[in-house]
Amino acid sequence: MRTVILGGTVYDGSGGPPVCKDVLIENGRILDVGHFSQIENSVRIDAKGMAVTPGFIDSHRHGDFAVFTDAGFGEAELAQGVTTMLVGNCGMSAAPAAGNFREEWYGFIEPCLGKPPKGKLWETFPQYLDQLEKRELPLNVGALIGLGSVKTAVKGFSSQAWTSQEMREGQRLVMEALEAGAWGISCGIMYMPECYWSPKDYVKLLRPAAAYKRPLCCHMRGEGDGLEEAVAEAIEIASEAGLGLHISHFKATGKKNWRRSLPKAIERIRQAREEGQDVTVDFYPYTGGSTTLMTLLPPCCHKEDIKSTLSWLSEKEGVQQLRKELLKDRPGWENMVRAIGWERILISSVATEKNKEAQGRSFPQICESSGDEDEAACMARLLREEKGKVGIIVMSMDPGDVDTVAGLPYGSVISDGLYGAPGFPHPRLYGAFPRVWSEYVIKRGILTPEEAVYKMSGLPARRFGLGDRGRIQKGMRADINLFNPGKFHDTATFTDPVRLAEGMDMVLINGEAVWNKGKWTRRRTADLLRAENILIESELT
């Protein structure tokens, strides 16, 4: 049976102007785009007055564990029109996870990814994909291989330099993942255990991967005082390794950097692109970010592993040194406390009931009732009691800077959605894509409708080589959204974040309606997506 979407305003995902045409679907693919009102024996969908777009692609969502959840996963995504997502970002992939270090690694990433599903153990990246392929998925899922996972699988959280044997094993794990179908490689240079690496370490580890023509997605070493230097470092690593570069959640943090650091970083990217290097970025439409409380620890406060670090923080000397170090700025590390102040750092998730009341509150607010000597002591206590599993929201960005990044022609939209704080997540988990539409298109006109659709579909599809998705054209997979342009909007806020987006009328995945009349149909017709060894376009505009 054929399906015809009739009379909608079609934004095809190319960035070109919309057209009023019909979309003909058969066997999960778009058969043609044109005028088909006379076709008989078909399912007819009236789209008059609606925007018809490709399904949105969220290339940065920390749902590595959530994809194995039967209850709930899919609703927040489909309400936003997200039909495809990539996991494994910021160096944090669910696999590989070696037996010796798995528990420590999963504990470290829990504030971002949530708890791993019971009974699921993935020694290797191919095992992870194989198990995911057996599931009936509510939306399409692909994965990146995270270098933090690789490093931990090889040698835990050690700060010691790679040995030749360890480097060979790291290279093997990366290549194994790419061969299995990883869509790219992600790194989290800011995070343990990657923060100890030099650019030369990255280049050596990554150079064999150049043959696969898949991008390096980089959570850079710094996004505040060292933004320009961090961009230069990422460009150097990708260039020397022979990889395309995709900069994750591109932004400028810290009050003194607002409206100052970003133009210099953009100029670095412009120069690299002008010289022929393949560099793109992505962004989320909020002035607050989200990460783990462990990232606020100064480098000198990190010991050989997390257990030793937390033990040190239980000692009076450890708390005193932490307090002193948080008053300093150090080259190569961003002191978020000095950059934005304790009052702009909120607790978003904890692992135990004991500290649940801290969720949604800033450090000064917590200290008022906790009896802690000061914010540094409060931070040390929370890390100790929660075994490092604390998520935070940092109100660190300037609205004008976010607008600037949104307007970059090579910048795509992401959510950077974290699943580690089910009770009090960052609102981007529920609202990033409709917020771009309602705020940046309808309300303020920062983007045209066709630009926004391109940044949410065609551009990420091209960036990652998702060849048959992200466009409404003949032969493509029929992943399609229908919505009233004036009614599609986000409802999640920083104070009330667990709220579904509104206004998405229908979502089709592989030609089947999985979201209809604002409700999830519970159909699971999506695919696990594995990359093939195809050439990614080197110039994206």
Side-chain angles (χ1 to χ4, degrees):
M1 180 70 72
R2 294 178 174 181
T3 298
V4 185
I5 300 173
L6 293 163
T9 302
V10 177
Y11 297 89
D12 68 4
S14 69
V19 294
C20 187
K21 288 188 177 180
D22 309 327
V23 181
L24 181 62
I25 300 168
E26 186 175 49
N27 296 326
R29 291 188 179 272
I30 297 170
L31 197 60
D32 209 348
V33 180
H35 299 285
F36 309 110
S37 59
Q38 303 304 314
I39 288 183
E40 299 179 352
N41 298 320
S42 62
V43 176
R44 301 165 74 86
I45 300 173
D46 184 2
K48 290 184 178 65
M50 291 189 181
V52 179
T53 76
F56 299 146
I57 297 171
D58 190 348
S59 62
H60 192 122
R61 201 166 177 92
H62 292 278
D64 306 56
F65 296 150
V67 293
F68 287 92
T69 303
D70 291 319
F73 174 71
E75 188 173 30
E77 293 77 13
L78 294 173
Q80 299 180 65
V82 173
T83 59
T84 298
M85 74 178 204
L86 298 184
V87 301
N89 287 280
C90 298
M92 302 178 187
S93 53
N100 292 342
F101 305 109
R102 181 190 294 115
E103 183 177 354
E104 188 173 21
W105 174 243
Y106 281 176
F108 177 71
I109 63 179
E110 185 177 318
C112 292
L113 275 63
K115 292 182 180 294
K118 292 182 180 179
K120 298 293 184 182
L121 302 173
W122 306 288
E123 290 281 345
T124 70
F125 191 88
Q127 287 175 354
Y128 176 79
L129 292 187
D130 289 345
Q131 288 193 24
L132 188 54
E133 195 163 33
K134 295 176 183 178
R135 294 189 61 79
E136 293 182 343
L137 296 168
L139 65 152
N140 305 310
V141 178
L144 310 176
I145 175 64
L147 296 186
S149 304
V150 169
K151 168 73 179 295
T152 310
V154 173
K155 57 186 303 177
F157 284 84
S158 172
S159 61
Q160 298 300 310
W162 293 81
T163 66
S164 297
Q165 182 178 349
E166 288 170 343
M167 182 61 72
R168 285 193 296 272
E169 177 61 9
Q171 291 172 336
R172 186 191 69 79
L173 291 174
V174 171
M175 299 295 279
E176 178 182 66
L178 295 174
E179 188 66 28
W183 290 95
I185 304 162
S186 78
C187 63
I189 307 180
M190 175 186 287
Y191 294 123
M192 292 175 64
E194 293 186 56
C195 60
Y196 307 122
W197 298 3
S198 70
K200 290 182 179 179
D201 291 326
Y202 278 103
V203 172
K204 192 169 184 179
L205 181 68
L206 293 171
R207 189 166 280 154
Y212 284 85
K213 305 296 182 184
R214 295 176 200 161
L216 173 65
C217 303
C218 185
H219 182 139
M220 298 183 296
R221 196 177 299 275
E223 297 173 330
D225 295 351
L227 176 63
E228 184 181 3
E229 293 78 10
V231 168
E233 179 186 45
I235 289 173
E236 176 191 356
I237 290 169
S239 177
E240 292 296 317
L243 301 173
L245 174 65
H246 187 71
I247 297 175
S248 300
H249 36 64
F250 186 45
K251 57 184 175 288
T253 63
K255 293 179 181 179
K256 68 180 181 180
N257 298 309
W258 292 352
R259 308 287 180 109
R260 297 177 58 188
S261 296
L262 198 60
K264 297 177 182 178
I266 292 173
E267 176 60 20
R268 287 272 191 173
I269 295 173
R270 186 198 66 77
Q271 291 174 1
R273 286 171 57 85
E274 195 172 79
E275 293 169 3
Q277 191 169 350
D278 180 7
V279 185
T280 55
V281 305
D282 58 40
F283 77 101
Y284 49 78
Y286 298 89
T287 55
S290 191
T291 184
T292 73
L293 185 58
M294 289 291 291
T295 64
L296 266 60
L297 280 177
C300 62
C301 296
H302 288 291
K303 305 308 173 184
E304 59 268 22
D305 54 35
I306 293 176
K307 184 177 180 180
S308 300
T309 300
L310 298 178
S311 176
W312 177 77
L313 286 173
S314 67
E315 301 172 3
K316 186 175 181 180
E317 292 179 0
V319 177
Q320 289 177 339
Q321 185 175 348
L322 172 64
R323 183 179 292 115
K324 292 178 181 178
E325 294 297 328
L326 289 173
L327 296 175
K328 303 175 184 177
D329 287 322
R330 288 183 175 274
W333 175 72
E334 291 180 10
N335 187 338
M336 192 59 69
V337 173
R338 282 179 56 81
I340 62 174
W342 286 111
E343 69 280 0
R344 297 176 72 91
I345 302 171
L346 287 70
I347 300 298
S348 61
S349 68
V350 292
T352 70
E353 288 295 326
K354 180 178 181 179
N355 292 304
K356 287 290 184 184
E357 64 180 18
Q359 292 181 160
R361 303 172 69 192
S362 69
F363 274 89
Q365 290 171 331
I366 297 169
C367 286
E368 285 180 6
S369 57
S370 67
D372 292 302
E373 182 179 349
D374 57 14
E375 288 84 358
C378 179
M379 174 181 168
R381 176 182 61 80
L382 286 173
L383 286 173
R384 291 195 311 269
E385 293 178 352
E386 300 298 320
K387 298 182 180 179
K389 302 174 184 179
V390 183
I392 58 174
I393 291 174
V394 287
M395 306 303 296
S396 59
M397 290 168 268
D398 171 72
D401 282 345
V402 178
D403 290 351
T404 296
V405 176
L408 294 174
Y410 49 84
S412 55
V413 175
I414 60 164
S415 70
D416 195 7
L418 305 184
Y419 291 80
F424 206 90
H426 191 296
R428 65 195 185 194
L429 181 67
Y430 284 82
F433 286 76
R435 182 172 177 80
V436 167
W437 184 267
S438 62
E439 179 73 15
Y440 286 74
V441 175
I442 301 300
K443 184 177 179 180
R444 296 198 290 131
I446 301 296
L447 300 171
T448 66
E450 53 266 36
E451 287 173 336
V453 171
Y454 173 60
K455 288 174 175 290
M456 295 189 287
S457 58
L459 179 54
R462 292 180 65 194
R463 167 72 279 179
F464 289 93
L466 301 169
D468 59 356
R469 304 189 192 262
R471 293 285 300 275
I472 295 180
Q473 66 181 37
K474 184 176 180 179
M476 304 292 279
R477 290 282 183 180
D479 296 349
I480 297 174
N481 294 333
L482 289 81
F483 58 91
N484 183 316
K487 294 183 178 180
F488 182 43
H489 67 282
D490 61 312
T491 65
T493 65
F494 283 104
T495 56
D496 190 9
V498 186
R499 298 182 63 188
L500 293 175
E502 296 179 351
M504 180 56 66
D505 291 277
M506 182 176 285
V507 178
L508 282 72
I509 295 181
N510 292 324
E512 297 287 333
V514 296
W515 186 269
N516 193 12
K517 297 180 180 178
K519 293 183 179 180
W520 187 12
T521 67
R522 302 284 168 170
R523 292 185 185 178
R524 295 174 179 267
T525 64
D527 300 317
L528 170 71
L529 306 181
R530 293 181 189 257
E532 297 178 0
N533 195 17
I534 57 176
L535 181 65
I536 294 175
E537 298 176 60
S538 60
E539 271 302 317
L540 299 178
T541 57

